[in-house]
Amino acid sequence: MALVSGIDVIQECSSRGLVAGAFNTTNLETTLGILDAVDKVGVPTFIQVAPTNVSLSGYEYIYDMVARRLESSKVPVALHLDHGKSLSAVHAALMARFTSIMIDDSEASFEDNVKTSSIAREMTPRNLALEAELGSIGGKEDDVAPEFAAHTDPVQAKEFVEAVGCDMLAVSVGNQHGFVPNAKIDFELLGQVRDASPVPLVIHGGSGLPDEQLARLHEFNVVKVNVASDLRNAMIRSFGEAYAANPREASLIRVSKDAVAAISDVVEGRIRTFNPAVN
């Protein structure tokens, strides 16, 4: 199956009461691990990359890896720009044929966030999905932390979505990027944002949240949950364990295949956690 628009993933998940995982990739092993799990479980999915990670490969290589692997898949998958902090990143991802875009100007004032996000909407064709963020999410992603964290204001959510025309709204409701032991969703606030927002919601920081909280997100019109740190840790741990077992290990293919399997296990577990009704 060819890559689909993020709009298609949103619509199918919404109609089936599913939550799409959004899994960050940076290389071939991670890509293969993610999509092996997606094929096994069959839930529509976002695979994504942030601008902080394209310095290794470039957007075009990410597109090529994902699109080629999907030729043998039957599950709808969209290729998403994660945390596009600039309009130039949005442009680069669109030129590389990404099918879903995030603009993140959440640390700016409400007015400036609306302005930048609206320009990103103008740049992004209406048949492709646009995610915008209201409220700055704390924690670190790729060792980059926001200057401040601020919860999403439910009163502003409707105005923001209608002004921007985004298809998904990323929210800050206690979730934090990376591994944060004390991260905890404020479900009362999340419910208020759900009731105010005209579009489905996105939760970032899925690696650091307890399973029992992740399993409830489908009740709150959450359509997408981001997972990155879990996958990177699985790959690094897999290579580290191989080296610890044999410092003279030279079979890169064997170790890489073990890493693919480790990543696939994490992704499958997360998809099933987000979707308790999926067998």
Side-chain angles (χ1 to χ4, degrees):
M1 175 180 287
L3 278 164
V4 304
S5 168
I7 297 287
D8 296 325
V9 175
I10 294 168
Q11 289 177 344
E12 182 160 348
C13 284
S14 295
S15 66
R16 295 171 57 189
L18 299 173
V19 176
F23 301 101
N24 286 64
T25 190
T26 52
N27 57 19
L28 180 63
E29 290 86 352
T30 310
T31 301
L32 295 177
I34 294 168
L35 294 176
D36 285 354
V38 170
D39 279 347
K40 185 175 181 180
V41 183
V43 173
T45 301
F46 292 87
I47 187 168
Q48 58 188 28
V49 65
T52 48
N53 279 281
V54 296
S55 58
L56 175 67
S57 61
Y59 292 103
E60 292 81 6
Y61 282 102
I62 297 292
Y63 174 88
D64 289 344
M65 283 193 302
V66 175
R68 183 176 292 274
R69 171 59 181 79
L70 282 174
E71 290 175 0
S72 61
S73 177
K74 296 181 180 179
V75 183
V77 174
L79 181 57
H80 183 73
L81 172 67
D82 185 29
H83 284 293
K85 290 285 190 177
S86 67
L87 295 173
S88 61
V90 171
H91 176 75
L94 288 170
M95 290 300 96
R97 294 178 287 173
F98 278 47
T99 62
S100 187
I101 297 293
M102 180 188 185
I103 182 67
D104 178 9
D105 200 26
S106 57
E107 293 186 68
S109 68
F110 179 84
E111 292 75 18
D112 286 345
N113 191 0
V114 167
K115 181 179 179 180
T116 302
S117 300
S118 296
I119 296 172
R121 175 75 279 177
E122 293 172 3
M123 296 170 63
T124 305
R126 288 284 174 171
N127 64 331
L128 302 183
L130 179 71
E131 173 187 345
E133 183 172 321
L134 180 63
S136 181
I137 299 166
K140 281 189 176 183
E141 184 169 37
D142 300 322
D143 293 325
V144 177
E147 292 184 9
F148 64 91
H151 283 173
T152 302
D153 183 349
V155 175
Q156 293 181 329
K158 184 174 187 292
E159 179 184 355
F160 180 82
V161 170
E162 291 179 346
V164 172
C166 55
D167 304 293
M168 299 177 280
L169 180 66
V171 296
S172 175
V173 289
N175 48 312
Q176 298 194 55
H177 290 123
F179 290 110
V180 181
N182 61 347
K184 183 179 180 181
I185 294 290
D186 181 340
F187 283 103
E188 181 177 353
L189 176 59
L190 180 59
Q192 293 171 3
V193 177
R194 171 201 59 198
D195 294 343
S197 174
V199 297
L201 306 180
V202 178
I203 294 292
H204 289 233
S207 293
L209 291 168
D211 285 356
E212 60 269 21
Q213 294 190 26
L214 294 173
R216 291 189 59 194
L217 295 177
H218 69 280
E219 303 170 20
F220 294 86
N221 200 27
V222 171
V223 75
K224 175 175 176 281
V225 179
N226 287 18
V227 179
S229 297
D230 273 345
L231 311 188
R232 295 165 187 164
N233 181 259
M235 180 167 182
I236 292 168
R237 186 177 64 251
S238 182
F239 273 77
E241 289 172 351
Y243 179 81
N246 178 15
R248 297 183 64 81
E249 175 64 73
S251 178
L252 183 58
I253 293 300
R254 184 184 66 77
V255 176
S256 293
K257 286 183 175 180
D258 288 345
V260 170
I263 292 163
S264 182
D265 286 346
V266 172
V267 172
E268 181 182 350
R270 286 299 182 188
I271 294 173
R272 294 191 186 282
T273 298
F274 301 152
N275 299 284
V278 171
N279 297 321

